[in-house]
Amino acid sequence: MLLYILPSLLFATLVSACVRDHAFHRLRSLAKRQSTPLVPLTSDEAILANSFDNNTLSDWNYYYTHGAHLAGTNRTMAQWTADRWSENGFQARLDEYLAYLNYPVSHSLSLTYPNGSVFKASLEEAILMEDETTSYPNRIPTFNGYSFTGNATAEYVYVGRGQVVDFEALVRFNVSLEGKIALAKYGGPFRGLKVKNAALYGMIGCILFTDPGDDGNITVANGYAAYPDGPARNPTSVQRGSVQFLSTYPGDPTTPGYHSKPESPRADKSSVVPSIPSLPISYAEAIPLLRALDGSGIPGLQVNRTNWVGALNVTYSTGPAPGAVLSMSNVMRDEIAPIWDAVGIINGTNQDEVLIIGNHRDAWIIGGAADPNSGSAVMVELSRAFGKLLATGWKPRRTIVLCSWDAEEYGLVGSTEWVEEHIGWLTESTIAYLNIDVGVSGRTPGVSSTPELKTISTNIMKKIVWPTMPNETLFDAWMAESDGKVGILGSGSDYTSFLHSGISSLDMGSDQGADDPVYHYHSNYDSYHWMATYGDPGYHYHAAMGQYLTLLAYHLANDEIIPYDLIPYTTALRTYYDDLRATINSTSQSLDTSELQTAISHFETSANEVMALMNQAVSTNDTVLKHVVNGKFRDFQRGFTSAGGLPDREFYKHVVNAPGIDTGYAPTTFPGVTEAVVAGNVDRAREWVGRTSLGIRRAADILKT
């Protein structure tokens, strides 16, 4: 199968999320950044923005990062979150689900060299005196969530990033894969798909490692000291994480399409979890494995695949090396365990319009200072800000719902189960879902959203002071890194179930840039000490991101007309269409897409009409017209969802964008058509030209005046 890189994927990784890579951008000189005048705040906005306190943000982050909170293991922390929201005027509760999870029991990995000597991996991260939580006796082992219990002993092959195209390259080079163990570098597709692909090519186990070549400029090789002595990656850091097949469906693998309660029937999970064992390791322990392959198989440079060669002092040869044998063991304990979503509500005056704001709370480690608890700290402070506004007598026009999700790390479980339980109410009332996952892991702000949110989300940036430079706004910093392009939503965080239920969605965060201290993703070193020392000393970026989220939420919840702009949606659809034609033209296939082009024109007409109606409603102060416009803005996204979902993965229903089948989180636009074209399935591509066109026409008909 051929894989084409679409132009529309270029801005897919601007915002960190739990199951997504970081993309480093060429940084513009700070001296050349534009300077946008700071837009003055209204009195309500000033109350909200001035409520953010760096010290209390630090306090909230400290609380969340000093107790183990692996999914399904810390009800106290869920209740603490609900209690903080209650103190600030929200009606708060816990919603419980019974989800399939698994937990580590034991693991081992050893390499036997051809001469009979043995290297035994520790599979542990170093304890650091400077970082107290790294030594906690209940620290969580390195493991993959939803990994398979099993043993494997075999020669092994380095498979690059483990994408289908990487395996296809190995096949072309006649590298033996059947019965071998895969050694895969993080980056590219979601880790679960690396394991899935290895099994599809007949391999019997998978080892995953992080390469410092993906760390930007702040590396030991460039002269920086490793954490805790400096900002570079600690060589023993290990990226834990789920290996669920996220691009098939998220949520509880045993309850696809329905929520997990005591009475829920349990389905076979084999289509979305691995059938071979996997282990994550550090780059320090990957070096002996890679070095043992030097001189065997195909040298990395000859493979000539993007990002195949990293920054370690090895050749990244494929292997296998005759007589070099890996032995791995992974033992997991399966449970149907309770998980807890904290939910807080402020009722608005319009009960049929609801704004939802969410962040997940669970982490793979005791820490999680960036992922997810920078966002968790922001959510508590956001509730405090709205509490101060409520104290003035203010009441929102629309209901505001705060959600603290559990079990996101395993596969967006808490949010997916909650959406599945409340889908009727959500589709009747929800105007938007705002997501903050990794609120701060660096100094590079990013936003991904459905296009109707572009204008309001970028306008609010002009009200926020960004800490990097004096007199710089968040908008300036964002423009310097994004060139004004809002990212496209794929998957990888809790917006996923909302988006594919036809709900306008936005994801935000401030990521590690190429010259920022290295963020130890899913490692013990994503800790309070790292955050306070390197990630965000003084918690200034936490405050800025919190102010931004709060003011955006305020306007979505309180503006008389929902502040959507449909013109960027038409622009986006035309861009996606051009990308699709480029993909088709890069193959030998012939596909008539005129129906899709006509549907986009129909959408453009309806979008222009409803924007004109909005302007008329404002100019005439017509309450009835305003209500009509709000209903159309709230509901039009529902039209983009296709009954039955995408081919072979019915959970994903949005016909405009979805996670790529071989990426797990990076988006593919017009996925039904695009992926059929890439697979060479012309009949399916024709079918999905029609189904995608129908979805666009449905959305247009909802907007039509």
Side-chain angles (χ1 to χ4, degrees), residues 498-511:
F498 293 91
L499 175 65
H500 289 276
S501 299
I503 293 169
S504 301
S505 299
L506 180 144
D507 188 32
M508 67 176 68
S510 186
D511 288 356

Side-chain angles (χ1 to χ4, degrees), residues 40-57:
L41 302 179
T42 66
S43 57
D44 281 359
E45 289 174 334
I47 291 171
L48 293 169
N50 293 336
S51 297
F52 277 79
D53 182 272
N54 302 38
N55 292 324
T56 55
L57 282 161

Side-chain angles (χ1 to χ4, degrees), residues 362-678:
D362 64 304
W364 293 114
I365 63 268
I366 286 175
D371 181 10
N373 300 130
S374 56
S376 305
V378 163
M379 289 284 285
V380 175
E381 199 73 346
L382 175 149
S383 75
R384 202 167 71 93
F386 275 112
K388 290 189 176 183
L389 192 56
L390 287 169
T392 68
W394 173 84
K395 185 173 185 179
R397 191 179 304 275
R398 300 176 185 94
T399 295
I400 300 173
V401 179
L402 304 186
C403 295
S404 172
W405 311 115
D406 200 356
E408 186 270 359
E409 294 289 8
Y410 274 78
L412 321 182
V413 179
S415 59
T416 300
E417 303 312 307
W418 195 80
V419 169
E420 288 171 343
E421 180 175 21
H422 299 289
I423 186 63
W425 170 69
L426 291 169
T427 54
E428 289 174 1
S429 62
T430 308
I431 66 155
Y433 173 73
L434 305 181
N435 192 64
I436 184 165
D437 187 331
V438 184
V440 178
S441 63
R443 297 157 191 167
T444 302
V447 171
S448 297
S449 76
T450 46
E452 70 278 14
L453 283 161
K454 176 181 179 179
T455 300
I456 182 63
S457 65
T458 53
N459 283 345
I460 296 297
M461 292 178 184
K462 299 171 185 176
K463 295 174 177 278
I464 307 299
V465 175
W466 194 242
T468 303
M469 288 181 65
N471 303 316
E472 183 178 47
T473 66
L474 171 55
F475 182 78
D476 296 332
W478 173 77
M479 281 291 294
E481 304 304 334
S482 71
D483 289 324
K485 294 181 173 66
V486 170
I488 305 167
L489 293 170
S491 184
S493 195
D494 291 302
Y495 59 79
T496 303
S497 290
F498 293 91
L499 175 65
H500 289 276
S501 299
I503 293 169
S504 301
S505 299
L506 180 144
D507 188 32
M508 67 176 68
S510 186
D511 288 356
Q512 176 194 339
D515 295 310
D516 289 339
V518 170
Y519 157 49
H520 297 79
Y521 178 54
H522 289 182
S523 158
N524 279 344
Y525 310 133
D526 179 14
S527 61
Y528 179 82
H529 179 270
W530 176 84
M531 182 64 76
T533 307
Y534 294 106
D536 185 15
Y539 282 75
H540 301 289
Y541 290 90
H542 281 70
M545 289 307 300
Q547 289 168 334
Y548 173 61
L549 174 59
T550 303
L551 294 191
L552 179 59
Y554 169 81
H555 284 278
L556 286 167
N558 208 58
D559 286 5
E560 194 168 7
I561 294 181
I562 299 168
Y564 286 172
D565 183 356
L566 274 295
I567 305 307
Y569 220 119
T570 299
T571 303
L573 291 174
R574 295 205 180 281
T575 299
Y576 305 159
Y577 180 82
D578 291 343
D579 294 344
L580 174 62
R581 288 308 316 174
T583 300
I584 295 166
N585 293 339
S586 67
T587 74
S588 59
Q589 300 170 44
S590 176
L591 182 65
D592 182 1
T593 56
S594 58
E595 183 183 2
L596 185 56
Q597 196 169 31
T598 300
I600 293 170
S601 295
H602 181 43
F603 182 90
E604 180 176 29
T605 299
S606 294
N608 290 339
E609 286 178 358
V610 78
M611 294 304 290
L613 186 67
M614 179 191 73
N615 291 332
Q616 179 185 344
V618 171
S619 63
T620 60
N621 198 26
D622 189 319
T623 303
V624 173
L625 276 187
K626 291 176 183 177
H627 183 72
V628 169
V629 170
N630 281 338
K632 292 179 178 297
F633 281 178
R634 178 194 61 203
D635 295 341
F636 85 97
Q637 277 280 353
R638 319 297 195 253
F640 289 127
T641 58
S642 176
L646 295 174
D648 304 320
R649 46 189 190 134
E650 60 272 14
F651 174 88
Y652 292 103
K653 298 179 176 64
H654 207 288
V655 300
V656 176
N657 52 291
I661 190 68
D662 191 38
T663 67
Y665 40 76
T668 297
T669 52
F670 297 148
V673 187
T674 300
E675 292 181 342
V677 169
V678 168

Side-chain angles (χ1 to χ4, degrees), residues 26-245:
R26 180 176 295 175
L27 299 179
R28 294 182 180 179
S29 165
L30 293 178
K32 294 180 180 178
R33 289 192 181 191
Q34 69 182 62
S35 180
T36 302
L38 191 67
V39 175
L41 302 179
T42 66
S43 57
D44 281 359
E45 289 174 334
I47 291 171
L48 293 169
N50 293 336
S51 297
F52 277 79
D53 182 272
N54 302 38
N55 292 324
T56 55
L57 282 161
S58 172
D59 292 344
W60 309 142
N61 195 240
Y62 184 94
Y63 169 78
Y64 282 113
T65 56
H66 281 73
H69 46 300
L70 189 61
T73 65
N74 196 328
R75 189 183 190 279
T76 299
M77 190 174 285
Q79 187 61 58
W80 183 93
T81 302
D83 290 345
R84 300 292 78 71
W85 293 349
S86 293
E87 291 169 356
N88 295 318
F90 288 76
Q91 300 173 34
R93 66 173 195 263
L94 297 187
D95 288 353
E96 182 175 294
Y97 300 94
L98 289 176
Y100 164 69
L101 302 171
N102 67 2
Y103 299 103
V105 175
S106 66
H107 56 196
S108 65
L109 176 67
S110 63
L111 166 62
T112 301
Y113 293 95
N115 65 6
S117 61
V118 177
F119 163 72
K120 183 175 174 57
S122 70
L123 303 180
E124 292 185 0
E125 296 179 293
I127 293 173
L128 308 177
M129 290 181 58
E130 299 87 342
D131 193 338
E132 63 173 340
T133 56
T134 66
S135 66
Y136 277 21
N138 65 334
R139 62 188 181 277
I140 298 162
T142 59
F143 79 106
N144 289 139
Y146 289 146
S147 58
F148 182 80
T149 291
N151 304 317
T153 299
E155 293 180 344
Y156 61 103
V157 175
Y158 173 58
V159 299
R161 289 172 133 193
Q163 284 183 273
V164 169
V165 285
D166 294 324
F167 285 98
E168 289 174 341
L170 290 166
V171 170
R172 287 196 300 273
F173 282 112
N174 295 313
V175 175
S176 175
L177 299 174
E178 189 82 25
K180 304 295 193 293
I181 293 172
L183 176 61
K185 176 173 173 279
Y186 275 124
F190 173 56
R191 69 185 74 78
L193 299 186
K194 300 171 191 285
V195 182
K196 177 183 180 181
N197 292 339
L200 288 173
Y201 279 84
M203 307 187 85
I204 61 173
C206 188
I207 307 298
L208 304 164
F209 73 95
T210 299
D211 193 291
D214 297 325
D215 283 342
N217 299 325
I218 309 301
T219 63
V220 172
N222 286 341
Y224 294 92
Y227 180 76
D229 299 319
R233 178 177 299 279
N234 184 292
T236 71
S237 68
V238 178
Q239 182 192 133
R240 299 155 181 80
S242 174
V243 288
Q244 182 179 13
F245 305 158

